[in-house]
Structures are given as structure tokens and as C-alpha cells.
């Protein structure tokens, strides 16, 4: 994907929101569930805790709160939304889409609602799609939600994966803006031939749910982490460089890079290759783990509500995930500094020994 022609209008983020479930799953909890240690998890991934959805919360419930906060910041109501796009790998159900379920809960009665399935890169893919829709005049107001309840497809008997994933939601409202502002460029890529490096083997048309698939634990995420690690570092570096080139900017002109939070070491390796200073790269994986398509919009909302972003700042978004999919976007921020506190639900720590999510 390239820079939009000058004749197209731009698309910019005018509101953000996030929500994470109250329940924390700490490394100490995981030590009681599988053969692992706090030291190993922190050293290899940077994660200290992650959030777990309550039994009665599905992805649309998490997405609803994030979406409401984003619309509130944008000064819009649900009826203003033209398109509601949900990036998720963990929809409430496979039919209907998570977006349609969320549409009903939100009351976005006018919106066309649909999911995009690009795993951890879903939010960046969504930015590309949204910029196209708004730029071409197909939509004026797009609500883009990245949401996951990865705890529902995580095998809490598999130490290779269960220490990594968490639940959460982030949302952004996008509206038209002048060309040369907002989303300046998007560079997205896929490599389907490597799809089985990170997969949920069963539950689709290849291996429908059966007693055997359940017994094999094939409805859970399987991952070859070491292989992904190297691909992620390279894919993130290269796509961010491409997005920068398309935007006509250099690395040094970025105020902040907001990477997908897959692993602290992946982020650090990418940062090193791009020679970015540590304070320019956002890291919150210690608190949320890997929330896939939600991780970038969660980070963005935290920055916005902390008053960290000002109009004119150049931001880089960059992600890598299952598919394989990866990509980056460069944006020139247009929203005035926010002073609003982060409106999350009251939090509490679950300390019950061996608590299974
Ligand atoms: C998963 C990941 C954290 C593992 O870190 P790593 O340094 O590559 O570790 P390895 O897989 O090489 O495993 C090293 C050892 O630790 C062990 N190990 C794995 N998980 C463990 C855990 N939770 N606790 C303790 N030991 C563990 C392995 O069994 C292995 O033992 P061995 O040497 O005796 O075989 C890392 O590879 C990663 O983050 N990969 C990319 C993840 C990713 O990008 N995911 C999806 C894209 S969003």
C-alpha cells in the first residue's frame, strides 16, 4: 500500500478508548499452574501480569467499553458510526461476526459492521482499510476496535504459550482530515505459507470440532516461538522503514513508536536495529502481556489520556502476528492534548493459589 493520492482526503484518529478486565493473572499464579518461574517469564518476555476476562465477558463486552470511551472522546454517538470494524482472532462466535454483536450492544444502528482476521496485525490492517474508506469518501466515521479474549484459546497446560497471552480491548474513531495529516502511510504484508508457525488447528472447516479435536487440545493456540521471534523482529523493522519511506519521513522524525506487544525482547531488538532511543518506544507488556490486535490501541489510549501526544507528533505503529501478517503505519497526530483520566473499572487482584482462568 502506498501514500494516498493528493486528491484523496486524509483520515485521522479523533478519539481513543481501552478496557482491560479487572482480573490479573500474575507470574506467581502461573508458577502454580505450569512448570515455569517469574524469573524465566520476565527475562524471556518482559511480562509480569496479564488480564483475564470474567466468565460472562466475551470479546464484544470488552470491545463495547473501549468503543464507548473512544466515541465519548470523539464527541460522537453510536448512531454517527458509518462503519464498525473489529480486528479480532477471538470473536464471541464465528457466526455472526464480533462486529455485528458489538453493533447491537453499542446501538450503532447505521453502521456496516464486519470483522477483520489478521491476528496481532489486525489494528494496523484496520488503519489501512479505514484510511482507504475515508479517503475515498465511502465512510465519514469509522470505529475501529481491536479486541481479544485470548485466554479462551490459550492452553493453560502449555508453558510455551500460556505465559504470554492476555485479554483486552482498544478502540479508535477515525474521521476525515486534510491530506498530509492523520494516517500518512500504511505498509502491510502477509506470508500464508508460514501459517502453521502460529495456529489454532481445529474448529474451522479443516478440522471441525469433535471429541478427538478436544482431546488433542487442538482448539488452543500452538506456536513455534523461536522461529516467530526472528521473523517478527525483521518484519517489524522492514515494514516500519517502508511506511516511513512512503510518508517521506526518517526514523529520527518519529516522536514515538507504538509496537505490538508480543515480547519485550522482540521490541528491544527492533528498537536496536532502528537505532531508536528507549524513551521513544512504548512498552506496557509487563502489565498486559500479548493482547494481539488490542495491544496497539490499548497503548495508544494510555498515551492519549496521559497527555503524551500533541498535534504534529509523528507516530509509528508496527505489528507482527499469525497468518503470518505484519505491517506498519505512520501518522501525524491531530488531536489536542487530553487531560482525561483513564476510565477503567475498579481493579482488584486475584490471589487464589493455582487459579485457572
Ligand atoms: C515464546 C518465547 C518467549 C520463548 O522464548 P525463547 O527464549 O525463544 O525460549 P525457547 O522457546 O528457545 O525455550 C527455551 C527453553 O525454555 C523452555 N520454556 C519454554 N517456556 C517456558 C516457560 N514458560 N517457563 C520455563 N521454561 C520455558 C523451553 O522448553 C526451552 O527448554 P529447553 O532448552 O530445555 O528445550 C519467545 O520465543 C517469543 O516471544 N517468541 C515470539 C512470540 C510471538 O511473537 N508470538 C506471536 C506473534 S504476536
Amino acid at each position: 500500500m502506498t501514500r494516498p493520492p493528493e486528491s484523496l482526503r486524509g483520515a485521522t484518529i479523533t478519539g481513543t478508548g481501552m478496557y482491560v478486565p479487572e482480573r490479573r493473572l500474575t507470574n506467581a499464579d502461573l508458577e502454580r499452574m505450569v512448570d515455569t518461574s517469574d524469573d524465566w517469564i520476565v527475562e524471556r518476555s518482559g511480562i509480569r501480569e496479564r488480564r483475564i476476562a470474567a466468565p460472562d465477558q466475551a470479546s464484544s463486552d470488552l470491545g463495547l467499553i473501549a468503543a464507548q470511551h473512544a466515541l465519548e472522546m470523539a464527541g460522537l454517538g453510536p448512531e454517527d458510526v458509518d462503519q464498525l470494524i473489529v480486528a479480532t482472532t477471538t470473536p464471541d462466535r464465528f457466526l455472526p461476526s464480533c462486529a455485528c454483536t458489538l453493533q447491537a450492544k453499542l446501538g450503532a444502528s447505521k453502521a456496516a459492521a464486519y470483522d477483520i482476521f489478521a491476528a496481532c496485525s489486525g489494528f494496523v490492517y484496520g488503519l489501512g482499510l479505514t484510511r482507504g474508506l475515508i479517503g475515498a469518501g465511502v465512510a465519514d466515521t469509522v470505529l475501529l476496535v481491536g479486541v481479544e479474549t485470548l485466554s479462551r484459546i490459550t492452553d493453560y497446560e502449555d508453558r510455551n504459550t500460556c505465559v504470554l497471552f492476555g485479554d483486552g480491548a482498544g478502540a479508535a474513531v477515525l474521521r476525515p482530515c486534510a491530506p498530509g495529516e492523520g494516517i500518512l502511510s500504511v505498509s502491510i504484508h502477509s506470508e500464508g505459507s508460514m501459517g502453521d508457525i502460529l495456529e489454532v488447528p481445529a474448529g474451522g472447516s479443516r478440522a471441525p470440532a469433535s471429541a478427538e479435536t478436544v482431546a488433542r487440545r487442538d482448539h488452543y493456540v500452538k506456536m513455534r516461538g523461536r522461529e516467530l521471534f526472528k521473523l517478527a523482529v525483521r518484519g517489524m523493522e522492514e515494514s516500519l522503514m517502508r511506511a516511513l519511506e512512503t510518508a517521506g519521513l526518517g526514523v529520527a522524525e518519529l516522536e514515538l513508536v507504538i509496537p505490538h506487544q508480543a515480547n519485550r525482547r522482540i521490541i528491544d531488538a527492533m528498537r536496536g536495529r532502528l537505532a531508536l532511543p528507549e524513551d521513544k518506544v512504548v512498552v506496557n507488556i509487563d502489565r498486559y502481556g500479548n493482547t494481539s490486535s488490542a495491544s496497539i490501541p490499548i497503548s495508544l489510549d494510555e498515551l492519549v489520556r496521559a497527555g503524551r501526544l500533541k498535534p504534529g507528533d509523528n507516530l509509528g505503529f508496527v505489528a507482527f502476528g499469525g497468518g503470518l501478517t505484519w505491517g506498519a503505519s505512520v501518522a501525524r497526530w491531530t488531536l489536542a492534548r487530553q487531560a482525561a483520566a483513564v476510565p477503567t473499572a475498579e481493579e482488584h487482584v486475584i490471589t487464589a493459589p493455582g487459579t485457572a482462568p
Side-chain angles (χ1 to χ4, degrees), residues 18-24 51 57 61-62 65-66 69 288 341-349:
M18 67 163 275
Y19 171 77
V20 288
E22 291 174 38
R23 181 174 168 201
R24 296 164 199 260
R51 301 300 181 97
Q57 285 180 313
D61 301 305
L62 276 50
I65 301 172
H69 291 152
Y288 304 128
V342 182
T344 48
E346 203 175 274
E347 297 164 353
H348 68 271
V349 184

Side-chain angles (χ1 to χ4, degrees), residues 57-221:
Q57 285 180 313
S59 287
S60 67
D61 301 305
L62 276 50
L64 174 65
I65 301 172
Q68 286 168 332
H69 291 152
L71 284 169
E72 191 184 345
M73 189 189 290
L76 296 171
E79 66 287 348
D80 296 314
V81 178
D82 297 318
Q83 296 220 4
L84 168 50
I85 304 172
V86 174
T88 188
T89 318
T90 46
D92 296 29
R93 297 164 279 180
F94 280 105
L95 184 69
S97 69
C98 190
C100 282
T101 307
L102 177 55
Q103 176 196 25
K105 290 183 177 173
L106 190 60
S109 50
K110 187 176 95 183
Y114 50 98
D115 292 355
I116 50 178
F117 232 142
C120 305
S121 313
F123 190 79
V124 173
Y125 269 58
L127 287 177
L129 174 60
T130 300
R131 192 200 57 180
L133 292 168
I134 291 177
V138 174
D140 286 333
T141 303
V142 176
L143 175 57
L144 175 61
V145 180
V147 58
E148 303 287 357
T149 42
L150 292 174
S151 62
R152 303 281 153 76
I153 58 165
T154 296
D155 185 350
Y156 288 95
E157 292 182 8
D158 176 9
R159 70 176 185 172
N160 291 300
T161 53
C162 74
V163 301
L164 300 174
F165 300 119
D167 300 338
V173 174
L174 288 104
R175 295 266 307 148
C177 69
E181 299 201 320
I183 309 300
L184 300 180
S185 65
V186 181
S187 170
I188 52 175
H189 311 274
S190 308
E191 184 45 77
S193 66
M194 292 195 226
D196 60 358
I197 296 181
L198 178 57
E199 65 166 343
V200 176
S205 56
R206 176 69 56 201
S210 67
E212 289 74 33
T213 61
V214 172
R216 282 200 302 268
R217 307 182 80 77
D218 275 354
H219 296 271
Y220 293 125
V221 173

Side-chain angles (χ1 to χ4, degrees), residues 34-37 40-41 44-45 120 158-165 198 223-230 232 260-263 265-266 290 292 320-322:
V34 289
D35 180 16
T36 191
S37 67
W40 192 96
I41 301 171
R44 301 290 181 122
S45 73
C120 305
D158 176 9
R159 70 176 185 172
N160 291 300
T161 53
C162 74
V163 301
L164 300 174
F165 300 119
L198 178 57
M223 183 178 82
R224 304 208 298 270
R226 213 175 306 182
E227 287 172 60
L228 269 178
F229 194 100
K230 293 179 207 142
H260 165 51
Q261 308 284 308
N263 183 318
R265 288 187 300 134
I266 292 177
N290 178 349
S292 190
F320 187 96

Side-chain angles (χ1 to χ4, degrees), residues 28 42 88 128 155 191 197 215 238 240 283 295:
V42 173
T88 188
D155 185 350
E191 184 45 77
I197 296 181
E238 286 175 4
L240 185 56
V283 176
S295 84

Side-chain angles (χ1 to χ4, degrees), residues 211-287:
E212 289 74 33
T213 61
V214 172
R216 282 200 302 268
R217 307 182 80 77
D218 275 354
H219 296 271
Y220 293 125
V221 173
K222 317 278 180 198
M223 183 178 82
R224 304 208 298 270
R226 213 175 306 182
E227 287 172 60
L228 269 178
F229 194 100
K230 293 179 207 142
L231 293 164
V233 173
R234 205 168 48 230
M236 286 166 74
E237 179 204 359
E238 286 175 4
S239 56
L240 185 56
M241 288 309 292
R242 246 179 255 145
L244 278 166
E245 194 184 321
T246 307
L249 295 173
V251 176
E253 290 168 276
L254 288 173
E255 263 73 31
L256 275 178
V257 173
I258 303 172
H260 165 51
Q261 308 284 308
N263 183 318
R264 168 96 212 204
R265 288 187 300 134
I266 292 177
I267 296 170
D268 287 345
M270 178 202 70
R271 186 170 59 70
R273 288 167 74 129
L274 291 165
L276 278 159
E278 197 167 350
D279 62 357
K280 282 197 171 188
V281 180
V282 177
V283 176
N284 60 17
I285 193 169
D286 51 317
R287 289 179 286 132

